[in-house]
Amino acid sequence: TGEKFDLYICVSRFCCWCFENEDLALDGEIDNGVHSKKSVRSRKGAADYDYGTLQPTGRVLEGIKRKMEFDRAFIIAEHYSYGYLLLTAFKKKKGDHHQLPGGHVDEGDQSPAHAAARELFEETGIDIRNGLDRLSQVKINGKSSLKGRVFYYLPLNDDDRVGSCSPSSGEDFTVNLSSEHIGYCFEKNRDKAADLLYLHSGGKSKTAMLTFERIK
């Protein structure tokens, strides 16, 4: 570290560059934690940061703390006969890849659980928004969250069927698939399900699937 270097190892927990570009780093597009002060200085809202330490100042600090705690919420949904529900999406850089239902926690969401239920409904039509007691938060590697991501376990049953879109894996189940997804499937084997998730959310969904433990 030090002022004389253009590139250096960032040790700031709240560095705006490292935090906002975490997924790019995991995809190999940037080297997370090694960057120039100039790259951070050029970002929108640059006046809110102290570039001696790359620490945010004033109102930005609380906002980043909240974002780190409640950034994204995902659901590990498992049907008792069919296995884990995996959505399929297409992105230019990733191609076809699998995802867990879920996404960003919005300002209007009362909690990460509310966000997860909202995303599940938007992406599949499965509606548990008035039945959040069906969700149970899980621990990932013994922790309640993973890099700002919270995961919940949801047991699915046949009554959750909705819509007319069937899974590519052939099970007798249907959903209302959102336009942001191109399909979905079930996978009984947990390790295989984790391998299918390796491109989702910077690899965090794979880690969650491999290591999650339900909190009793």
Side-chain angles (χ1 to χ4, degrees):
T1 61
E3 294 291 331
K4 64 180 180 179
F5 297 105
D6 180 46
L7 293 176
Y8 70 106
I9 303 297
C10 178
V11 295
S12 170
R13 181 185 175 198
F14 298 115
C15 171
C16 62
W17 180 263
C18 291
F19 182 71
E20 293 181 11
N21 292 277
E22 175 187 42
D23 287 348
L24 292 177
L26 288 166
D27 287 341
E29 296 179 29
I30 64 170
D31 188 0
N32 197 30
V34 182
H35 54 73
S36 67
K37 292 183 180 180
K38 180 179 178 181
S39 64
V40 181
R41 198 176 275 119
S42 66
R43 296 180 65 81
K44 184 178 180 181
D48 291 318
Y49 291 85
D50 172 3
Y51 294 101
T53 61
L54 291 181
Q55 294 286 346
T57 59
R59 61 182 177 81
V60 179
L61 181 59
E62 288 303 317
I64 292 181
K65 285 182 178 179
R66 286 195 300 272
K67 185 176 181 182
M68 290 186 73
E69 293 173 352
F70 306 113
D71 187 27
R72 305 173 206 182
F74 298 101
I75 293 178
I76 298 173
E78 182 181 20
H79 189 279
Y80 64 93
S81 293
Y82 304 147
Y84 298 101
L85 172 65
L86 306 177
L87 303 177
T88 309
F90 174 83
K91 290 187 178 180
K92 187 175 181 180
K93 292 183 178 180
K94 297 181 180 180
D96 292 355
H97 65 286
H98 292 86
Q99 303 177 344
L100 291 177
H104 286 276
V105 178
D106 294 340
E107 289 185 6
D109 294 319
Q110 298 179 42
S111 69
H114 284 85
R118 173 183 55 76
E119 289 280 356
L120 178 69
F121 176 70
E122 292 173 358
E123 294 175 346
T124 69
I126 298 173
D127 195 355
I128 61 166
R129 291 174 295 175
N130 293 320
L132 294 183
D133 56 326
R134 291 182 59 188
L135 290 177
S136 58
Q137 188 175 347
V138 301
K139 287 185 177 182
I140 309 299
N141 286 325
K143 298 180 179 180
S144 59
S145 64
L146 179 64
K147 296 269 187 165
R149 296 157 175 82
V150 181
F151 295 84
Y152 297 89
Y153 179 84
L154 172 67
L156 291 176
N157 55 61
D158 291 340
D159 292 335
D160 291 314
R161 287 181 292 193
V162 62
S164 59
C165 183
S166 299
S168 59
S169 45
E171 292 82 3
D172 183 18
F173 198 87
T174 54
V175 302
N176 276 327
L177 197 67
S178 72
S179 59
E180 62 184 290
H181 295 98
I182 60 175
Y184 73 104
C185 67
F186 286 96
E187 175 53 60
K188 290 183 178 181
N189 184 281
R190 182 167 166 174
D191 289 343
K192 290 182 180 179
D195 286 341
L196 291 171
L197 291 167
Y198 77 103
L199 287 177
H200 184 220
S201 197
K204 302 296 188 300
S205 291
K206 176 178 180 178
T207 299
M209 180 63 74
L210 283 173
T211 65
F212 81 87
E213 298 178 19
R214 297 174 65 179
I215 300 175
K216 298 181 180 180

